[in-house]
Amino acid sequence: MNAPAPTDPQVKKRQRGLSRVWDQLSLYLPVLLMMPLALASYLLLQATPQPMEPEPERLLTNEPDFFMRRFSVKVFAPNGTLQTEVYGAEARHHPDTDRTVIDTARIRTYSAQRQLSTATAREIISNGEGTVYELRGDAVVVRQAARNAAGQRLPRMEFHGEFLRVSTDPEHIESDLPVLLIRDKDQMTADTLDYRGDSRVVELNGRVRAQLAPR
């Protein structure tokens, strides 16, 4: 026995129900489609390494950042000739001042005319550029006799004191403590010293005494 065919009102009612269901699906379908994409993006973000935070800038301290013990350093000119030799029992570099302290130090330098100069002291302090040296304790600077580019003789000179400050460019030696100056065989003592190598002029102040060799 066959089932009765649906009447027109029943068909229309069913069609309206299907239409409402489709309307509801059409509203939520974009959201349903976006959910897997959002989930995938979230998982990818979690798997991505986080950028490292920049480290705070390190403050420079007076603590030495490197040491050298019982060392010898040589510096050569582009043509291969020796310019400077530095010896020391120990060297320490202080980053806050960019200064190097050398214990029981000896520095030998050669000018363009191959004139040898030697500096020794219980402690030598150099600036970062290597152009200024402070000699402390039994400080001695010796400049050997030589001839300049014009052929003139440059006398042997010695500077002695507890403190000497030496600049290399231009050559300048000074001290605010008592010093002994020896020029060839002449000797002079003073409370302060100011010597300029470019003009070869020395200024002595305070209690100045001189002992001149016979000519």
Side-chain angles (χ1 to χ4, degrees):
M1 192 174 176
N2 295 330
T7 61
D8 289 341
Q10 290 176 335
V11 171
K12 291 181 180 181
K13 184 177 181 181
R14 187 179 300 172
Q15 289 176 346
R16 287 195 298 271
L18 291 174
S19 179
R20 285 196 299 271
V21 172
W22 177 253
D23 290 341
Q24 294 295 326
L25 287 176
S26 64
L27 290 175
Y28 291 103
L29 184 60
V31 178
L32 295 174
L33 293 176
M34 290 295 293
M35 285 180 64
L37 180 60
L39 179 60
S41 300
Y42 174 78
L43 295 176
L44 180 62
L45 182 62
Q46 293 299 313
T48 302
Q50 296 295 324
M52 296 181 61
E53 295 184 1
E55 295 185 1
E57 185 177 351
R58 296 178 59 184
L59 296 178
L60 297 179
T61 68
N62 194 49
E63 291 296 322
D65 56 359
F66 76 79
F67 294 84
M68 290 191 295
R69 291 186 174 91
R70 299 187 182 278
F71 68 93
S72 171
V73 178
K74 296 182 180 181
V75 179
F76 295 87
N79 62 2
T81 59
L82 182 62
Q83 280 187 325
T84 306
E85 291 179 283
V86 181
Y87 303 87
E90 180 177 290
R92 301 172 300 279
H93 178 259
H94 298 272
D96 59 338
T97 58
D98 194 23
R99 303 176 86 190
T100 301
V101 181
I102 308 173
D103 297 334
T104 315
R106 183 180 70 183
I107 300 175
R108 304 174 67 189
T109 60
Y110 295 86
S111 67
Q113 290 77 34
R114 304 309 296 163
Q115 183 181 20
L116 172 63
S117 296
T118 304
T120 59
R122 289 199 301 268
E123 181 181 84
I124 295 181
I125 303 174
S126 169
N127 66 347
E129 293 76 21
T131 57
V132 179
Y133 299 89
E134 292 183 2
L135 285 63
R136 301 175 183 270
D138 295 330
V140 179
V141 174
V142 178
R143 194 179 70 176
Q144 300 293 340
R147 293 191 179 276
N148 59 17
Q152 297 174 324
R153 181 182 180 274
L154 302 176
R156 173 187 169 93
M157 298 187 70
E158 298 182 23
F159 304 84
H160 299 254
E162 281 300 302
F163 172 79
L164 295 173
R165 187 176 189 272
V166 181
S167 302
T168 60
D169 190 19
E171 182 186 15
H172 184 204
I173 302 175
E174 58 184 326
S175 177
D176 56 0
L177 295 179
V179 294
L180 166 64
L181 170 63
I182 302 175
R183 183 181 183 275
D184 282 340
K185 296 183 180 181
D186 299 335
Q187 297 187 17
M188 289 161 277
T189 60
D191 291 335
T192 65
L193 165 79
D194 192 311
Y195 170 76
R196 299 189 178 274
D198 52 354
S199 59
R200 300 200 299 276
V201 173
V202 60
E203 181 179 338
L204 301 171
N205 293 297
R207 293 170 295 177
V208 179
R209 293 183 174 89
Q211 182 178 342
L212 305 179
R215 295 295 190 270

